[in-house]
Amino acid sequence: LCYSEEDAGGVESLKLEDVEVVEGAVQLHQQQRETWTRRLEFVLASVGYAVGLGNVWRFPYLCYRSGGGAFLIPYIIMLFVCGIPLLFMEYAIGQYTRLGPVHGLAKICPLFKGVGLATVVISFVLATYYNVLMTWALYYLFNSFGSNLPWQSCNNTWNALSNCSTGFPGNATHLQSASQQFFDRKLLEMTRGIEDAGGVRWELLGLLALAWLIIYFCIFKGVKSTGKVVYFTATFPYFMLFALLINNVQLPGAKTGILYFLMPNWSKLREVQVWVNAAAQIFNSIGIAFGSMISMASYNKYNNNILRDTFVVSLANSATSILAGFVIFSAIGYMAHIHNLPVEDIATDGPGLVFVVYPEAFSTMPVSQLWAPLFFFMLLCLGLDSEFAMVEVAVTCIMDGFGVKVLRVFKRKELLVLVVCLVGFLLGIPHITRGGIYVFQLMDHYTAVVSLMFLAFFEVFAVTVIFGVPRICVMVENMLGKRPNLYFRVCWKFLSPMLVLGILISSIIQYTPARYGKSYTYPLWAEVLGWFISLISIIWIPLGAAHELFRNKGSLLQVENLLFTYCTLPQHTVHLQLKHLSCKSHRHYCT
């Protein structure tokens, strides 16, 4: 090794990707990667990403529909068999390679390098329509400051008086609640189907631009700025959830709603779909196979204790889901009480829960003008944390692959982040047309449901089967000083791959086309478009494998051996002993 005198004291470690052959010598390229200022920032950013809107609207409904308290048994089992081990695995990949999902997974297993790119694509596609939810939250937030909440009555210009009800219509299917009409006819101005776009909602376009502007100013400095923002955005929702819980449990009927949420139906445990739902919720909530956890861990210091962080993030995420269940169903029980309806006539999932049912609950609560804006501000914080991570994945991918070339064009990383946010804004415009809700539902179904399980399976297969559990253990031992215990090794080797494969097969067998509400079915061309959206991410897996096979010349056996060699190379950081070395020039070469 040759090095310049002034650089000798600053060289601590070099990664293998910083080495290239130049005219018979090996040149070292040292690139400084930014890191989190404090470990707490990484933990808060991870918790903020994992704890999102799905914890508030999906888990509570899934829990009561899948057996109430009995659902917690498969949920906790899936947490410890899939969630915690696979999160630890993703943290290890990111922190060890100091790279995002594309280049990190390519270092570990070139044959499946397309998996990393697929995770970046699915994260960015998700970010383009996830920010639409932030747009809706901003719209409700700005409409919550009047003396009367606008979804409180039917005496508004947007209401259809012939079928508007100030309460929940129950079995009267021809009626709509005032809050439902505010969502459909005021916020969305929705058309009859996806085939009728109906033009852009200009109010929502402005709010979508504002949402992306907030995202930009929170992440434009990389982890340095994001790390400061998450101190607030990751903690404020907990204060709000506890405040709402204290308020809600004092309302009449709250006990009925909570019992409905928790009452165990043990017969449900015999249904395969309940176990699939539990596993799918763990994957969606923690963010396995989205690439965000790998990306955030890549900014850690090399010896950061990711084992401790894994348990903190996983358990905090699941605890928040259960807490949100109490908050949501205590309010639903209250609504069932005052409208004299069964809980099942009010409980729903998806956007309808937080943008229709809960606003209706606020309209009848004491001090509604206080709780409504605080609730929607909480939704905004929950969504922002998740959005930070999804956009950061795309930025990390570009900087890892084309950093030098990109900086020649944009001069500063902040301009690259601006371009990424601008592209995300443009791709989000179809969702804020008058027919945008149908586009939103189609994207959500084919991105977060169909594509995700394919990506999860191939990621787990590439890392645990091809790269191999022994090599994962070597990576962890190099960073933490000790090998993963038997629990992790058994999960990585047997349980996690088998369960992910089972979920994938079950998802294929039980596939159902996308729907909106209870009645609207998509036309055939929209279904084809949905599958095309799925293929946008999935297609990179076979393309990446084909490129690697084509790039390595020779017989199939030779190529296979070469790929296997690549897959088994220990990609650990090489610590250099800088003493008793000299060279004729000050250029960094080793021979």
Side-chain angles (χ1 to χ4, degrees):
L1 170 73
C2 298
Y3 60 95
S4 60
E5 293 294 333
E6 61 270 20
D7 290 340
V11 179
E12 296 179 355
S13 63
L14 295 168
K15 296 178 294 177
L16 293 186
E17 68 267 17
D18 296 326
V19 181
E20 67 173 300
V21 176
V22 180
E23 296 181 354
V26 180
Q27 185 172 8
L28 303 180
H29 299 278
Q30 294 184 65
Q31 296 178 349
Q32 184 68 30
R33 189 178 185 84
E34 58 183 339
T35 59
W36 300 98
T37 305
R38 299 175 61 188
R39 185 187 70 87
L40 181 60
E41 293 178 1
F42 167 67
V43 173
L44 288 176
S46 297
V47 170
Y49 169 66
V51 177
L53 295 175
N55 298 71
V56 176
W57 75 35
R58 178 170 169 78
F59 175 82
Y61 178 81
L62 196 63
C63 188
Y64 105 84
R65 192 184 67 181
S66 302
F71 177 73
L72 295 178
I73 295 175
Y75 178 78
I76 292 172
I77 290 174
M78 293 300 174
L79 170 66
F80 282 92
V81 171
C82 278
I84 292 175
L86 296 182
L87 178 59
F88 188 34
M89 180 191 79
E90 290 201 345
Y91 276 167
I93 293 170
Q95 183 168 302
Y96 189 74
T97 62
R98 301 294 305 279
L99 293 166
V102 175
H103 298 84
L105 289 171
K107 292 288 181 183
I108 285 176
C109 185
L111 184 61
F112 283 92
K113 64 183 181 182
V115 174
L117 185 55
T119 62
V120 173
V121 172
I122 194 174
S123 283
F124 190 68
V125 170
L126 184 61
T128 61
Y129 73 84
Y130 195 87
N131 221 19
V132 174
L133 296 172
M134 302 303 95
T135 303
W136 297 348
L138 285 170
Y139 189 88
Y140 272 84
L141 177 64
F142 293 147
N143 279 276
S144 299
F145 293 109
S147 56
N148 294 309
L149 297 176
W151 52 84
Q152 199 166 1
S153 71
C154 293
N155 301 320
N156 301 287
T157 56
W158 59 83
N159 291 123
L161 297 179
S162 59
N163 67 339
C164 183
S165 168
T166 54
F168 284 93
N171 292 325
T173 54
H174 66 287
L175 294 178
Q176 282 186 316
S177 66
S179 60
Q180 182 70 60
Q181 289 202 356
F182 179 84
F183 183 72
D184 292 345
R185 305 170 71 90
K186 176 62 175 172
L187 170 69
L188 301 177
E189 295 183 10
M190 61 186 294
T191 60
R192 293 184 178 275
I194 194 172
E195 57 275 1
D196 182 10
V200 174
R201 285 277 288 112
W202 295 107
E203 285 178 284
L204 297 184
L205 182 67
L207 292 176
L208 181 65
L210 175 61
W212 276 108
L213 200 61
I214 294 171
I215 294 296
Y216 172 74
F217 282 111
C218 289
I219 69 171
F220 76 113
K221 288 289 187 181
V223 296
K224 299 298 182 185
S225 57
T226 306
K228 302 300 182 290
V229 175
V230 293
Y231 280 112
F232 178 78
T233 57
T235 55
F236 175 76
Y238 287 97
F239 289 105
M240 273 305 304
L241 285 173
F242 279 110
L244 286 169
L245 180 63
I246 293 171
N247 175 74
N248 291 0
V249 295
Q250 302 176 63
L251 299 172
K255 181 180 178 182
T256 304
I258 292 174
L259 289 176
Y260 199 89
F261 168 57
L262 291 178
M263 189 64 66
N265 181 358
W266 302 110
S267 63
K268 286 281 188 179
L269 295 181
R270 294 195 292 267
E271 298 179 14
V272 176
Q273 188 59 37
V274 169
W275 294 81
V276 172
N277 288 342
Q281 175 62 18
I282 289 294
F283 273 82
N284 279 283
S285 183
I286 295 179
I288 304 297
F290 283 105
S292 297
M293 292 303 191
I294 296 177
S295 179
M296 288 192 290
S298 71
Y299 297 106
N300 278 337
K301 295 179 180 178
Y302 181 71
N303 59 351
N304 178 61
N305 189 347
I306 49 174
L307 177 61
R308 174 185 54 197
D309 296 343
T310 298
F311 279 100
V312 170
V313 173
S314 301
L315 296 178
N317 173 67
S318 296
T320 307
S321 295
I322 296 172
L323 173 63
F326 281 96
V327 173
I328 295 298
F329 271 86
S330 58
I332 289 176
Y334 164 68
M335 295 304 297
H337 172 79
I338 63 173
H339 293 295
N340 197 25
L341 289 171
V343 172
E344 59 265 26
D345 283 358
I346 297 177
T348 183
D349 68 338
L353 182 60
V354 293
F355 292 112
V356 176
V357 176
Y358 224 76
E360 180 73 22
F362 282 131
S363 66
T364 59
M365 284 183 185
V367 203
S368 59
Q369 285 74 17
L370 170 66
W371 292 114
L374 286 176
F375 175 76
F376 292 114
F377 186 66
M378 180 193 74
L379 291 185
L380 190 64
C381 291
L382 286 172
L384 286 176
D385 287 332
S386 301
E387 192 74 13
F388 294 161
M390 289 185 283
V391 177
E392 186 61 43
V393 170
V395 175
T396 301
C397 169
I398 295 171
M399 289 301 297
D400 284 347
F402 313 99
V404 176
K405 295 178 182 178
V406 166
L407 292 179
R408 285 199 195 110
V409 176
F410 294 106
K411 306 304 180 185
R412 298 172 64 88
K413 182 182 176 182
E414 290 87 339
L415 292 177
L416 170 64
V417 177
L418 180 62
V419 170
V420 171
C421 290
L422 180 61
V423 172
F425 166 73
L426 294 175
L427 293 176
I429 291 177
H431 302 286
I432 48 92
T433 61
R434 289 174 174 81
I437 185 64
Y438 302 104
V439 181
F440 176 89
Q441 187 68 21
L442 189 72
M443 292 279 285
D444 185 57
H445 181 80
Y446 284 98
T447 302
V449 178
V450 177
S451 300
L452 177 61
M453 297 320 302
F454 280 95
L455 299 190
F457 168 74
F458 283 108
E459 179 184 307
V460 172
F461 179 78
V463 179
T464 63
V465 178
I466 297 183
F467 184 66
V469 174
R471 297 178 187 90
I472 303 175
C473 295
V474 171
M475 290 167 53
V476 173
E477 187 175 9
N478 284 341
M479 291 185 293
L480 304 185
K482 59 182 179 180
R483 290 172 62 83
N485 58 33
L486 182 63
Y487 156 64
F488 285 106
R489 297 200 301 272
V490 170
C491 288
W492 287 334
K493 187 75 174 179
F494 303 107
L495 300 181
S496 296
M498 291 168 56
L499 279 172
V500 174
L501 179 61
I503 297 167
L504 177 61
I505 294 173
S506 176
S507 300
I508 294 172
I509 294 174
Q510 300 185 13
Y511 164 77
T512 55
R515 299 171 65 92
Y516 179 72
K518 296 179 180 179
S519 58
Y520 181 77
T521 57
Y522 285 85
L524 179 61
W525 66 266
E527 289 290 334
V528 173
L529 177 63
W531 279 107
F532 177 76
I533 293 169
S534 291
L535 289 176
I536 288 176
S537 59
I538 298 173
I539 194 65
W540 294 106
I541 300 174
L543 287 180
H547 176 263
E548 195 66 25
L549 291 170
F550 177 78
R551 193 167 64 90
N552 293 280
K553 305 298 183 181
S555 67
L556 183 60
L557 182 60
Q558 289 173 327
V559 172
E560 187 176 345
N561 289 337
L562 182 58
L563 290 174
F564 184 76
T565 302
Y566 284 171
C567 293
T568 57
L569 274 175
Q571 301 290 338
H572 59 277
T573 301
V574 181
H575 293 278
L576 303 172
Q577 299 295 326
L578 297 177
K579 57 184 179 180
H580 306 303
L581 301 172
S582 62
C583 59
K584 294 182 179 179
S585 73
H586 290 304
R587 300 176 68 186
H588 290 88
Y589 284 100
C590 56
T591 57

